[in-house]
């Protein structure tokens, strides 16, 4: 009985195997997509896009190319540049027989997934670049309108036109901006969407010939073409076509406001001879407290500054600056340059007027160059002098004086700077200056040029004069018998300001002289010559 059962099982297995082989043969004959695969490890691959199966293959060497074909097909349908977030994955396995998909089936499935994965449609636009500033606009026409708006601020008669020209030196399709006269722009040839400008070769030669032709003889004032002569941009302007999302494009009116509106820009001011912080503040139109806050080198408004020191200041400038030249006619009174006669035996603080000046009168045509609204250059094109100006003639010294001059001639030092025994009741035991015994009525001179800030009685000092020399420097003159200046008066170095005396707390006729730096008394004998 047991042998019979075993024989039955064997018979069933053989029948099953024969049936399986037969079915496989039938499938291979009737189902062309059903293949017997080689037994070499992973031999069947499932391709997915964004996790969605799009087909089964036994060879995936061309699926990347198929995906690119699908992408191109989708883009052509839109007639625009489209972006689709698509990630392809391939998973392999080992099988003996499997059904695989055709190229057409897989590409059809890919097409469906790509269409569903489109992120955005990009529009053909342009990018305008001005130095580090960039703005995206909807078209080349808008780029031209933007630049024209900058020019129109100064060209009220519409005489100049912005043109976009190809930069032949560049490998890419980069356009530059040129500003030409409207008459010259008429020589432009339009080809499709591009413009080719006939401003080179023979055309340019003809323009040059016309420009260089001048009327016979000297031109009269009526022969000059007054007004705007030339316009251009200070910065390099580049325009490039690009595909951009609609949300990245700036409206034209907003772009015009951004490009033409003045912005606060940091720049450097170099300190010149004679500058003070107050004068610089007025010159650059920045409050002095703001000027101090912008510069770490400045502690307060009394900080000493030196020639060629660099200070940060802000100036209003637009993103795109326009330079222009205007030819202007005017009549004016004018002064001849001062004529100087050098005297080597005088200090530079000494001078004498030999001849007083008188103004002349002239008619002038000038070529003025502007950067935005700031004049940056002026050239006289034609000048006719109706009345000659008489120059001022001045004798001046060439010897450079010391920083501080000794305020008196002669005298004997009776009390040095520093600690001492009080010479009389009420006198200080710390002497903040130096005393010279000198007869009453001796001339007292300003040790340096400056402004008188005190001239009058000062208790123990008697009659005094205090002079502010700027940059925290001050000199004081005490025990005077007569004052020859008044508060607010500007004095030159070596100018007589008073007569010495014996007023106030004094032991005899003498001059007390102080030098103070930023409010602190220093030894005058270390600074005077």
């Amino acid at each position: 009985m047991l042998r019979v059962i075993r024989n039955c099982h064997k018979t069933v297995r053989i029948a099953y195997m024969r049936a399986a082989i037969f079915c496989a043969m039938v499938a291979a004959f009737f189902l062309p997509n059903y293949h017997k695969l080689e037994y070499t490890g992973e031999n069947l691959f499932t391709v997915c896009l964004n996790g969605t199966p799009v087909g089964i293959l036994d060879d995936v060497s061309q699926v990347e190319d198929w995906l690119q074909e699908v992408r191109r097909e989708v883009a052509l349908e839109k007639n625009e540049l489209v972006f689709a977030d698509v990630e392809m994955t391939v998973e392999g396995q080992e099988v003996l027989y499997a059904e695989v998909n055709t190229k057409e089936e897989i590409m059809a499935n890919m097409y469906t997934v790509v269409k569903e994965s489109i992120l955005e449609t990009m529009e053909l636009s342009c990018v305008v670049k001005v130095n580090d500033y960039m703005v995206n606009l909807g078209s080349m026409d808008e780029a031209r309108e933007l630049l024209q708006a900058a020019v129109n601020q100064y060209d009220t008669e519409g005489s100049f036109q912005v043109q976009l020209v190809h930069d032949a030196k560049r490998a890419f399709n980069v356009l530059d901006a040129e500003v030409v006269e409207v008459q010259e722009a008429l020589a432009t040839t339009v080809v499709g969407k591009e413009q080719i400008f006939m401003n080179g070769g023979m055309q340019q030669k003809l323009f040059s010939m016309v420009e260089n032709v001048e009327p016979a003889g000297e031109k009269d004032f009526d022969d000059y073409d007054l007004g705007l002569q030339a316009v251009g941009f200070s910065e390099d302007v580049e325009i490039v076509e690009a595909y951009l999302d609609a949300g990245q494009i700036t409206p034209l009116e907003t772009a015009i406001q951004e490009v033409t509106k003045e912005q606060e820009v940091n720049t450097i001011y170099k300190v010149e001879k004679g500058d003070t912080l107050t004068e610089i503040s007025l010159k650059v139109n920045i409050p002095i407290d703001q000027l101090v806050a912008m510069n770490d080198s400045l502690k307060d408004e009394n900080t000493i500054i030196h020639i060629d020191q660099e200070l940060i200041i802000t100036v209003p400038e637009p993103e795109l600056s326009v330079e222009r030249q205007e030819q202007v006619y005017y009549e004016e009174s004018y002064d001849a340059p001062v004529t100087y006669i050098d005297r080597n035996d005088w200090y530079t603080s000494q001078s004498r007027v030999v001849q007083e000046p008188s103004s002349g009168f002239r008619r002038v045509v000038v070529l003025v160059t502007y950067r935005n609204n700031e004049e940056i250059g002026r050239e006289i094109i034609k000048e006719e002098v109706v009345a000659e100006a008489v120059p001022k003639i001045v004798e001046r010294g060439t010897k450079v004086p010391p920083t501080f001059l000794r305020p008196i001639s002669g005298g004997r030092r009776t009390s040095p700077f520093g600690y001492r025994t009080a010479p009389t009741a009420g006198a200080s035991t710390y002497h903040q200056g130096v005393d010279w015994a000198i007869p009453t009525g001796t001339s007292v001179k300003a040790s340096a040029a400056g402004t008188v800030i005190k001239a009058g009685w000062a208790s123990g000092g008697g009659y005094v004069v205090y002079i502010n020399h700027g940059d925290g420097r001050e000199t004081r003159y005490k025990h005077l018998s007569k004052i020859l200046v008044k508060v607010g008066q500007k004095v030159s170095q070596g100018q007589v300001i008073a007569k010495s005396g014996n007023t106030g707390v004094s032991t005899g006729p003498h001059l007390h002289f102080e030098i103070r730096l930023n409010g602190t008394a220093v030894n005058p004998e270390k600074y005077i010559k």
Side-chain angles (χ1 to χ4, degrees), residues 410-446:
R412 176 176 56 87
R413 190 186 73 176
T414 56
S415 183
F417 177 85
Y419 289 101
R420 67 176 182 178
T421 301
T424 185
S428 173
T429 57
Y430 182 77
H431 198 213
Q432 296 188 338
V434 61
D435 290 347
W436 291 289
I438 199 165
T440 297
T442 300
S443 294
V444 178
K445 303 173 184 177

Side-chain angles (χ1 to χ4, degrees), residues 35 63 127 150 164 205 234 249 364 428 504:
H35 297 286
V63 290
V127 179
L164 306 183
K205 186 175 181 180
S234 300
I249 297 174
V364 183
S428 173

Side-chain angles (χ1 to χ4, degrees), residues 453-475:
I453 57 175
K454 185 168 184 176
W457 186 261
S459 187
Y463 288 110
V464 301
V465 172
Y466 295 173
I467 301 176
N468 178 14
H469 307 287
D471 296 332
R473 300 175 301 147
E474 182 183 322
T475 54

Side-chain angles (χ1 to χ4, degrees), residues 465-485:
V465 172
Y466 295 173
I467 301 176
N468 178 14
H469 307 287
D471 296 332
R473 300 175 301 147
E474 182 183 322
T475 54
R476 297 183 177 185
Y477 314 78
K478 298 182 179 181
H479 308 297
L480 307 171
S481 62
K482 188 176 183 181
I483 295 174
L484 304 177
V485 292

